[in-house]
Amino acid sequence: MATRKFQMMDVNLTTGESGITDISDLFDEFLGGTGVATKLLSEMPPGMDSYSAEAPVIFAIGPFDTIFPVATKTVALFKSPLTGNLGESHAGGRLAMAMYGAGIHVLRIRGRAPTLSYLVIDEETAVVKRANSLKGMSALATERMLRDREDSEFKRSIIRIGPAGERLSPIGEVTVDAARHFGRLGLGGVLGSKNLKAIMISGGKYWKIDNKGQFNIFYKKLYDSVVNSPLMKKYHELGTSVNVIPLSKINGMPTRNFSQGSFEGAREISGERFAEKHLNQQIACAHCQVGCIHVASLRERFSAEDQHYKTFKVSYDHELIYAWGSNLSIGSTEEILRLLLIVEKQGWDAISMGTTLAWTVDAYAHGFIGDKETVGLIPAFGDAKTFEKMLGRIISGHNEFYRSLEKGSVFCARIYGGKEYSIAFGGNEAAGYSTGLWGFLGYATGVRHSHLDAAGYSIDQGNISNPQSDEILTRNLYNESVWRMILNSLVICLFARNVYTKEIILEGLDVLGISGWTEDRLIKTSRHIHALKYKFKEDCGFKFEDQELPGRLLRTVTSSGMLSSERFRTEIDRYKSFIADDRRSLGI
Ligand code: SF4
C-alpha cells in the first residue's frame, strides 16, 4: 500500500491567495479530523476575537472519510462567537467526499474578503469570487444559484450561510448540500464576518486502493454490520425522531422550556406521525448506507390571497421536533414544519433559536420583558402564529429586543434578566433530553457543550435500570468524551459509533497502510486531543467553576427524578479533577 499523503489548503480571503502544504506528519500524530484541527486551532491567540479577520476556520476530514461506510463527516473548528471559546461542529452531506476528491484533507481559511464573496475550490486551485448578487439570499436559494453558475466535472459540495450569518448572528449556522448543517456554536456568524457567503468544492483525486482483496473483505464486514445488523436499524427506519414517544413516556422529552419532561402531544409530533403525514424522501450523506435524513413535504400558499401553492422540502429529526415542538408546546406537525422552513431559510441554529423563543415565554410571564420589548406580541406556549411573527421581526430587526433574540438566550438573559429560564450550558442552548444529571453534566462539561460530546442521556437511561455510583457514572461520561476524540478524528458519523470498535479502527488503518497504531496509542492520542481542547477553552476563559444548572431545572422532574445543584457541583468538580489529572500527566 502506497504511503498516504495528507494535505492542507490555506486560503487568505483578504489577498485571495492560497497554498497547499503537506501535513502528513500532523495526521501521523493526531490521526486526522478533530485531532489535527485542534492542533491547528491551538495556534490561534486565545484572546483573538471570533470575528477578527485573522481568526481561522478549519475544516478537516479523517483517513476513513469517503472510503469506509458511514465515515462521512467533516469537522469544523473555530472560536465560537456564542461561547467565546472552542467552536466545533460536524456535518455530513457531500463535503467530506468533495474535500477528499480535491485532495484536501484540511481547509484553513483566514482573512476577510473585501466584499461579500464565495470561494470555488477545484482540486488544488482556489478562486475567491464576488457574491454581491447573493446578498440576503436564503441558504436554499444560494445553493440553486451557485449550482447554475459554476460548473464542475466532479460531484460538488456547496456550503453556505443564510441572511442570519450575514448579520453576524452568533447562532448562525452553515448549510451543507441538501439537508445537513454545521449547526451549533455560530460558524455561520464567523463566515459572515469573513464576508464568505459560500464555498464550493470538487475534484477527482481519489486514493488508489492497491490491496483490493484485503480491502474488499474488510469493507464487506463493515458493510454488513451497518446494513444487516440491528446497530443502525432505528436510524434508517424512523430516524432519531423515533425517540419522541419513548422519551416522553420516561419524562425525558423537554416540554414548555424544560418545565416538564412529558408532552401530552408527543404522539401527534412523533416520528411515526411525521412519516405518515409528510415523509417525502429519505436521503443519505455521501457514502452512507443508512440514510437517516428524513425529508418532509410542506405545501404552502404563495401568499394569503393567492390560490397557488408551492411545495417545500423540510428535514426533521428529534432535535428539531424537541426545539420547535414539545419545548414550545406546539402539537401540530404542519406548524413545526412551517417554523422550521423559516429557520432553514435564514440559517439559524434550530436548537438555539427554538430554545431562545422558549426563554421569551417565561421571560414575559415572569415580567423580565413586556410590551415595551415585544411591541404588541405576547409569546405563549403553543402559539405558533406569534412565534412566526416574532421570527419575522427578528429578520427585519424590528427593535433592539428582536435583534437581541438572534444572539441566543444567554445573551438575552444577561440583558433583560430571567437567567434561570435560559436553558443553556457553557453558553450553548441545550439539546433535547431531560433524562437526568448525567445528560446535563454532559452538556456542561463537553468540549462543545453538546449532547454529542458524551451522550450523557444514555448514561442516565442506563442508570435507571442498572444503578451505579455517581463516581462510576461520571468516570464513564469522561471516558466516553475522551474516546470520541478518536471517532471524531476519523471523522465517522457518531450514529455508527458502535460499529467502529477499537479493533475495527485498527484493522481499517492497517488496510489503508497507515501504520504504527495500537490500542494503547489510540487511547493516548484521544487523551492528548481532549486535553488540548480543554487548554484552549481555559485559555479563552472557560471555567468549570462557572458551570451551573439553570434554576428552572432544579424544579423539573426528569427521567431520573429531581436534581440538586449540590450533586451537580460535586460531579462537575469530579470531572474537572479527571481532566486535571490527564493534563498533568501529559504536561498540557
Ligand atoms: S446515519 Fe444519517 S447523518 Fe449519519 S452518515 Fe448516514 S445519513 Fe448522514
Side-chain angles (χ1 to χ4, degrees), residues 13 34 72 88 96 100 213 279 340 529:
L13 293 170
T34 204
T72 56
E88 174 167 353
Y100 174 67
L279 184 60
L340 283 175
I529 299 165

Side-chain angles (χ1 to χ4, degrees), residues 70 72-73 92 180 232 235 283-285 288 290-293 493 495:
V70 207
T72 56
K73 301 271 178 171
R180 299 286 83 191
M232 303 204 66
Y235 298 111
I283 55 177
C285 303
C288 172
V290 178
C292 80
I293 307 164
C493 170
F495 293 161

Side-chain angles (χ1 to χ4, degrees), residues 478 544 572-582 584:
Y478 183 75
F544 281 99
I572 287 274
D573 291 344
R574 200 190 309 270
Y575 196 98
K576 182 186 172 190
S577 73
F578 294 153
I579 289 180
D581 287 349
D582 260 353
R584 203 174 306 115

Side-chain angles (χ1 to χ4, degrees), residues 413-467:
R414 206 180 298 133
I415 303 291
Y416 300 99
K419 184 177 167 207
E420 66 180 295
Y421 305 110
S422 160
I423 312 302
F425 293 84
N428 191 24
E429 283 76 19
Y433 301 88
S434 185
T435 50
L437 187 62
W438 281 273
F440 296 139
L441 201 64
Y443 299 157
T445 56
V447 289
R448 46 184 167 138
H449 304 291
S450 156
H451 62 299
L452 294 169
D453 281 314
Y457 56 88
S458 288
I459 293 179
D460 283 330
Q461 289 174 72
N463 192 41
I464 293 169
S465 51
N466 180 24

